[in-house]
């Protein structure tokens, strides 16, 4: 059988140093997977049992490490705004006049922000898009109470 991971001292030392600098759990486990094989010569089944992975996952990772090297340890973060209309800076610029009005104590409706957003983007958007935009920038819905919490309707009528 072909030896995918050579357990020479330089490789083990390099992997051990990289393990100390791992930035997240996923990267840490990937390094462990290769390091255990290089340092101890454990089988894929033993490594899978130690890490709580399947044997196939260990085989795939070892094979990828033999082909790609340390590049397999860089795990890409998931998520992100892949379908954004405006960048965060553009959104801040759009909200700036509304922020000034809010600082002055003025009230406005989300429909006004939606109208400005649609003019800048050039197409219609749902109100939920605007509510998510406001949430991203730390805004929250404030509305005046219709009446005071401790008011007495009978006293007001008199």
């Amino acid at each position: 059988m072909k030896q995918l991971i050579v357990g020479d001292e330089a490789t083990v030392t390099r992997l051990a140093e990289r393990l100390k600098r791992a930035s997240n759990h996923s990267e840490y486990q990937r390094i462990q997977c290769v390091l255990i094989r290089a340092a101890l010569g454990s089988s894929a089944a033993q490594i899978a049992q130690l890490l709580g992975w399947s044997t196939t996952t260990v085989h795939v990772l070892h094979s990828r490490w033999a082909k790609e090297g340390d590049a397999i340890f860089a795990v890409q973060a998931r998520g992100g705004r892949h379908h954004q209309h405006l960048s965060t800076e553009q959104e801040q610029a759009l909200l700036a006049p509304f922020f000034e009005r809010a600082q002055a104590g003025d009230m406005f409706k989300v429909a006004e922000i939606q109208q400005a957003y649609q003019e800048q983007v050039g197409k219609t958007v749902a109100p939920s898009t605007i509510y998510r935009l406001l949430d991203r920038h730390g805004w929250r819905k404030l509305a005046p109470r219709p009446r005071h919490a401790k008011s007495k309707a009978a006293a007001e009528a008199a």
Side-chain angles (χ1 to χ4, degrees):
M1 186 169 125
K2 181 181 171 187
Q3 184 72 16
L4 293 178
I5 299 174
V6 180
D8 62 336
E9 196 170 322
T11 303
V12 172
T13 305
R14 185 170 47 87
L15 289 170
E17 287 300 316
R18 185 162 185 134
L19 188 66
K20 292 177 187 175
R21 293 180 281 119
S23 60
N24 57 38
H25 181 69
S26 178
E27 181 183 359
Y28 190 86
Q29 277 193 318
R30 285 171 175 242
I31 297 168
Q32 274 185 326
C33 180
V34 176
L35 180 60
I36 292 169
R37 179 65 173 261
L40 305 175
S42 300
S43 69
Q46 292 169 333
I47 295 170
Q49 188 176 13
L50 285 170
L51 297 178
W53 290 0
S54 70
T55 307
T56 305
T57 304
V58 174
H59 281 299
V60 168
L61 196 67
H62 287 169
S63 177
R64 283 189 57 207
W65 190 78
K67 292 176 187 171
E68 302 170 30
D70 287 353
I72 65 163
F73 301 137
V75 180
Q76 299 267 333
R78 294 183 181 180
R81 294 179 58 206
H82 301 291
H83 303 287
Q84 64 186 2
H85 295 291
L86 301 173
S87 68
T88 307
E89 294 79 23
Q90 290 172 322
E91 289 177 352
Q92 287 174 342
L94 176 77
L95 291 175
F98 296 102
F99 181 72
E100 291 171 7
R101 284 178 46 195
Q103 289 290 0
D106 192 16
M107 290 179 24
F108 51 87
K109 297 180 181 177
V110 171
E112 297 174 30
I113 299 174
Q114 183 178 6
Q115 182 66 33
Y117 188 89
Q118 289 174 352
E119 288 173 7
Q120 187 165 354
V121 171
K123 62 181 186 177
T124 59
V125 294
S128 62
T129 303
I130 306 306
Y131 283 108
R132 286 194 318 269
L133 169 121
L134 294 173
D135 183 51
R136 250 192 317 275
H137 293 277
W139 290 41
R140 56 195 176 100
K141 181 178 179 181
L142 294 177
R145 287 183 276 188
R147 61 181 186 83
H148 194 275
K150 295 182 180 178
S151 67
K152 295 186 174 110
E156 286 179 13

